[in-house]
Amino acid sequence: MIRTNRTKKRKINRELHDIQTIYSARDTNVESSEPDFANEVLLSTNGLILPSMSNTFCQNNTTKTTYITSSINSEVETQEGEVVIQNEDEVVIQQQIEVVQRIETISTFKEDLIAWAIECKVCQSTVNKLLKIMKKRNTINTDNLPSDCRTLLQTPITLSANIRNVDPASCYHFGLAAGIKRYDTSNLNDIKIAIGIDGLPLAKSSNSQFWPILAFIVDEAKYVFPIGVYHGNAKPMDSNDFLADFITEIKDLLVNGINIDGSNKKVSIHVFVCDAPAKSFVLKIKGHSGFYSCTRCTQEGEYFKNRVCFPYSKEKSDERTHEAYLNMLNEEHHVGNTLSQLVELPGLDLIQTFSLDYMHLVCLGAVRKLILL
């Protein structure tokens, strides 16, 4: 039981302070244009001044209370013009509840709208149209909502530093370490990575295309994540420029490993998965229609009936090795005078690490031809 007005004021002050403490974290997420209801509560020497409400908020409530004296009972005017005598404690508690409900309604509706836009993958133009429609309705309080989807979802306005020019277009580097930390759920100390590189046409009406660098952890094969993506109207001019960010990052991971939850794990490349055209592009070697295009042996092909064939020989051809690739012993196997910068990766055998292309060898190549014959 509260005996004096001073004790009553102290109790109310503590309750309002608790409300402000609870919603201080949530208030930081509300835009600066919104009224901070928790901070508008003031205590005067003669009585208690309640928060000043907006016109919209006051019109939507049945009771309008602006000032309460320190007396035991107060007169409260309703919308019907009636004067009702209420106990001061009841009025203060009712006003506090209205303030809390107001704050909760604002934050909850905005958070629900953001969650809906993200979870349902709604395009930005649709969200913008919805916001404009809501702004026109007086029955919906949209004072705390922006007019653009980018403000609502807090889309960054600056371009990422990970975007760089790769002739003739641009490339974005997501990062290999970020993908490993996100999808590694195994307890193994050795993380084996499979890398996939290929071109992807986006439309038949233009040359717009993607060249993604994808990866997955061998023990977690169901999760495929991007390392980098190139986009342009033509393929990258130089594969070394295209792979520069990836090579820089993977070199550090191969040497120093990666720290996950305080444990340092070893990282290794298990395999490169590329089709024949992508493999020739990455390794800077002849394509699958060249005379010295085989990536496993040095057998020379022959042109026969409008195609390059590799005739049968009783003598086994010499196998290609990583050292032979480094020294460019078979010049006709290479394109240009430069090697792929993948040779800088420690402990990597570029001949054995690149898998054979099943589609161009079996489905469309030698095995298919043997079956037809």
Side-chain angles (χ1 to χ4, degrees):
M1 181 176 179
I2 302 176
R3 299 182 179 276
T4 63
N5 291 335
R6 183 176 300 175
T7 305
K8 186 186 302 182
K9 291 179 182 179
R10 285 200 299 267
K11 180 180 179 181
I12 296 174
N13 191 12
R14 286 197 303 270
E15 293 176 353
L16 294 176
H17 178 72
D18 294 338
I19 294 175
Q20 182 178 3
T21 304
I22 294 174
Y23 291 95
S24 60
R26 179 173 291 181
D27 288 341
T28 56
N29 296 328
V30 182
E31 297 180 358
S32 58
S33 61
E34 299 177 11
D36 192 353
F37 297 103
N39 293 330
E40 293 182 5
V41 179
L42 301 175
L43 290 175
S44 65
T45 56
N46 296 326
L48 176 65
I49 301 177
L50 294 176
S52 59
M53 303 300 172
S54 62
N55 294 331
T56 305
F57 176 57
C58 291
Q59 292 173 0
N60 294 333
N61 289 269
T62 58
T63 303
K64 296 191 297 183
T65 304
T66 57
Y67 183 82
I68 298 177
T69 62
S70 59
S71 60
I72 300 302
N73 298 325
S74 302
E75 295 184 357
V76 180
E77 182 181 356
T78 62
Q79 287 185 344
E80 290 77 7
E82 300 177 355
V83 178
V84 180
I85 306 300
Q86 292 184 349
N87 184 273
E88 183 178 357
D89 294 340
E90 296 178 356
V91 175
V92 172
I93 294 175
Q94 181 180 357
Q95 190 65 43
Q96 293 175 359
I97 294 175
E98 292 175 356
V99 173
V100 173
Q101 291 176 347
R102 169 67 172 169
I103 299 175
E104 288 181 345
T105 303
I106 292 175
S107 302
T108 303
F109 180 72
K110 186 175 182 180
E111 292 172 357
D112 291 344
L113 187 62
I114 295 174
W116 165 77
I118 296 175
E119 294 175 1
C120 297
K121 300 180 181 179
V122 184
C123 61
Q124 292 187 357
S125 60
T126 303
V127 179
N128 288 338
K129 292 180 180 178
L130 176 63
L131 291 173
K132 291 180 181 179
I133 293 174
M134 295 174 61
K135 289 285 186 180
K136 297 178 181 178
R137 300 295 182 268
N138 296 329
T139 57
I140 303 176
N141 185 8
T142 58
D143 295 338
N144 70 312
L145 294 179
S147 300
D148 194 271
C149 174
R150 291 169 293 182
T151 305
L152 178 67
L153 301 180
Q154 299 181 357
T155 303
I157 61 176
T158 57
L159 293 177
S160 173
N162 292 336
I163 298 179
R164 66 181 182 87
N165 294 328
V166 175
D167 192 27
S170 59
C171 181
Y172 181 85
H173 184 68
F174 293 91
L176 176 59
I180 294 176
K181 291 180 179 179
R182 182 175 182 180
Y183 294 106
D184 178 41
T185 59
S186 63
N187 297 323
L188 301 177
N189 293 325
D190 188 1
I191 301 176
K192 297 180 180 180
I193 303 296
I195 310 294
I197 303 173
D198 199 2
L200 175 67
L202 298 181
K204 295 182 179 180
S205 59
S206 67
N207 294 325
S208 179
Q209 56 187 283
F210 274 148
W211 274 82
I213 306 176
L214 305 177
F216 67 86
I217 303 174
V218 175
D219 295 326
E220 302 288 344
K222 60 181 179 180
Y223 299 114
V224 179
F225 55 88
I227 300 176
V229 175
Y230 163 90
H231 174 261
N233 292 323
K235 66 186 296 184
M237 296 295 295
D238 187 2
S239 61
N240 286 337
D241 189 18
F242 167 59
L243 298 172
D245 292 333
F246 163 71
I247 293 175
T248 301
E249 184 180 18
I250 192 62
K251 282 172 61 177
D252 179 69
L253 294 177
L254 293 176
V255 174
N256 301 319
I258 185 172
N259 188 283
I260 300 178
D261 297 333
S263 176
N264 189 272
K265 296 186 178 183
K266 179 182 178 182
V267 178
S268 61
I269 297 179
H270 182 69
V271 65
F272 279 94
V273 182
C274 305
D275 61 3
K279 183 192 297 185
S280 63
F281 168 68
V282 171
L283 293 179
K284 294 181 175 292
I285 58 177
K286 293 291 179 66
H288 57 280
S289 60
F291 289 105
Y292 289 93
S293 60
C294 182
T295 58
R296 287 293 190 267
C297 69
T298 59
Q299 174 69 38
E300 180 182 2
E302 295 182 3
Y303 193 77
F304 180 73
K305 292 185 178 182
N306 300 326
R307 58 182 54 86
V308 174
C309 304
F310 292 87
Y312 172 76
S313 176
K314 293 183 179 180
E315 297 181 0
K316 184 178 180 180
S317 301
D318 296 335
E319 295 183 359
R320 296 193 184 276
T321 61
H322 182 69
E323 290 73 17
Y325 176 85
L326 290 177
N327 298 321
M328 300 180 66
L329 297 182
N330 188 353
E331 295 181 359
E332 297 184 5
H333 178 62
H334 298 265
V335 176
N337 298 323
T338 59
L339 296 174
S340 172
Q341 290 185 353
L342 292 174
V343 298
E344 300 177 2
L345 303 183
L348 187 65
D349 189 335
L350 292 183
I351 303 301
Q352 300 299 326
T353 304
F354 277 82
S355 62
L356 295 175
D357 178 19
Y358 173 80
M359 181 179 69
H360 287 89
L361 288 178
V362 177
C363 301
L364 303 175
V367 176
R368 175 177 178 271
K369 176 60 65 177
L370 290 175
I371 294 176
L372 293 177
L373 293 175

